[in-house]
Amino acid sequence: PSNMLMPIIKQIQQYGGISRGELGLRIASLTPAKAKELKIPSHRGALVLHVKDGSPAATSGLRVHDVIVEVNRRPIHSREQLRNQVALHRPGSTIRLGFYRGDRYHVVNTTIGKAISQLWSIARAYPALAGSYYQNQDSQHSPHTGVVIARVDQTSRAWKAGIRPGDVVTSV
């Protein structure tokens, strides 16, 4: 559905391409058993497994075994949901994270860092487009502003919908 692409289209229109954000974390979905072990009062969220040195997460004071349960006051139920929420924010923007460290709830504001990979799958945020991979359009060599389809798996939903390598997404 077109509403699935709106945050991406908004970035394309406003900035001429997509720039994905990241916090510098390795995460897993919280399980009830792990919540009990860590004395976390919630059974949902993203468990921090690793914090990259010098990353926005490290700068904000996040630690291994913290459990992120909110982004901008919206509940986070899984690692996928956290990854998708962070990826939709542009690098340099600030988000509010709510997290548990043991049984204590904390809030921290952190600045989103830039994701390293320039080729990314839109399916992380939009499962209906699984199998398609995008990258920013080279504006110096193209009259179009948008993102270019770099690769599409031939057995994917995206392929079946008619999306092909070389297509440029400029609007919905």
Side-chain angles (χ1 to χ4, degrees), residues 30-143:
L30 183 66
T31 64
K34 195 67 171 174
K36 184 176 180 181
E37 175 188 331
L38 297 173
K39 298 182 173 95
I40 305 293
S42 176
H43 291 150
R44 63 174 176 79
L47 173 65
V48 176
L49 302 174
H50 175 78
V51 180
K52 183 178 176 185
D53 290 339
S55 69
T59 302
S60 296
L62 289 171
R63 299 181 195 160
V64 171
H65 295 145
D66 286 347
V67 177
I68 300 169
V69 295
E70 291 180 347
V71 171
N72 292 338
R73 301 181 198 268
R74 292 187 188 112
I76 296 297
H77 298 281
S78 67
R79 76 181 182 107
E80 292 82 5
Q81 194 175 19
L82 175 61
R83 185 180 51 219
N84 293 344
Q85 285 296 311
V86 170
L88 292 175
H89 288 83
R90 288 190 60 82
S93 62
T94 300
I95 62 171
R96 177 188 186 272
L97 297 175
F99 66 96
Y100 283 101
R101 181 171 293 150
D103 61 355
R104 301 188 84 191
Y105 181 79
H106 301 271
V107 173
V108 66
N109 291 321
T110 189
T111 302
I112 300 290
K114 185 172 183 172
I116 295 170
S117 174
Q118 292 300 312
L119 178 64
W120 50 277
S121 169
I122 198 169
R124 287 183 176 165
Y126 307 104
L129 296 175
S132 56
Y133 300 86
Y134 300 71
Q135 63 189 39
N136 287 336
Q137 178 71 12
D138 181 357
S139 60
Q140 294 179 1
H141 298 98
S142 174

